[in-house]
Amino acid sequence: MNNKTVISQFLLLGLPISTKHQHLFYALFLAMYLTTVLGNLIIIILVRLDSHLHTPMYLFLSNLSFADLCFSSVTMPKLLQNMQSKDPSIPYAGCLAQIFFFLLFGYLGNFLLVAMAYDRYVAICLPLHYTSIMSPKLCTCLVLLFWILTSSHAMMHTLLAARLSFCENNVLLNFFCDLFALLKLACSDTYVNELMILIMGGLVVIIPFLLIVMSYARIISSILKVPSTQGIYKVFSTCGSHLSVVSLFYGTVIGLYLCPSANNSTVKETVMALMYTVVTPMLNPFIYSLRNRDMKRALIRVICSKKISL
């Protein structure tokens, strides 16, 4: 007989940090979060203000920056609050809400990376048809479709999690309400939850990843047909930033969720979770701004225009 009980809150295990280092890591994570917010806000504002960036690629990039900003905001404020107050609790409803928004913005970023890869494929392999294929109407419809798909996907997993029953153990082995950690605490049958994670995980993670790989395979194949230093430089200059972000995102997600080892420790899983929830959203603005001449020029134009107006 299971000792089922009504859970009103969960306790987040948090990060394996000793007490004497708490303040140091609090300052570090606070700085990282503020950098994430500021960096992504700059990209969103630049794309909004500079007419030269009103292109499909930068429409997707501004939405990706918004998704990264929100994705980090789902977990980081609560982590910082817990580190400061020493209160690791999160209400049951708050935990479900965190799961919903975590999945929503995480998968939204995933789909936007696919759109950006397709945009690069059309720009390099079909340059004469780029304007007609990547029309503003198509790009807007794609973004709206991504929002609908990810919202539906996140809502499905959240509702399935809400039907679970829990026993007396309410300690989640992570610094946020991770769906996988939540399932381990359930007393009721989690078969449907795990089945939907397996099926939908293939649809919203594996298929997008394969589409990105196919896009870049076609790009490389197209360039190799007419090998030239200029062609190779064009690929790296236009696709280097995007490939860096894809590698960061999928490298950590695949390593943590799709290729878990039997001896994975809680510390290792927590560190990898930090990589894609904190580090990746923070690095994305630097990757795009430091490697992208368009963003640098746009920043200069906006700053100069503000100075002139003053």
Side-chain angles (χ1 to χ4, degrees), residues 238-249:
T238 57
C239 304
S241 302
H242 185 243
L243 281 173
S244 301
V245 173
V246 169
S247 301
L248 274 172
F249 180 82

Side-chain angles (χ1 to χ4, degrees), residues 203-220:
L203 292 176
V204 301
V205 178
I206 301 299
I207 291 179
F209 177 69
L210 292 177
L211 290 174
I212 292 174
V213 171
M214 287 172 57
S215 296
Y216 280 102
R218 294 292 298 273
I219 290 172
I220 293 171

Side-chain angles (χ1 to χ4, degrees), residues 271-282:
V271 170
M272 294 186 72
L274 273 172
M275 279 296 297
Y276 73 85
T277 58
V278 180
V279 179
T280 302
M282 181 190 69

Side-chain angles (χ1 to χ4, degrees), residues 2-7 9 166-171 185 187:
N2 292 330
N3 295 321
K4 295 182 181 179
T5 185
V6 176
I7 295 289
Q9 65 178 14
F166 298 93
C167 300
E168 294 180 0
N169 183 13
N170 67 338
V171 179
L185 298 183
C187 290

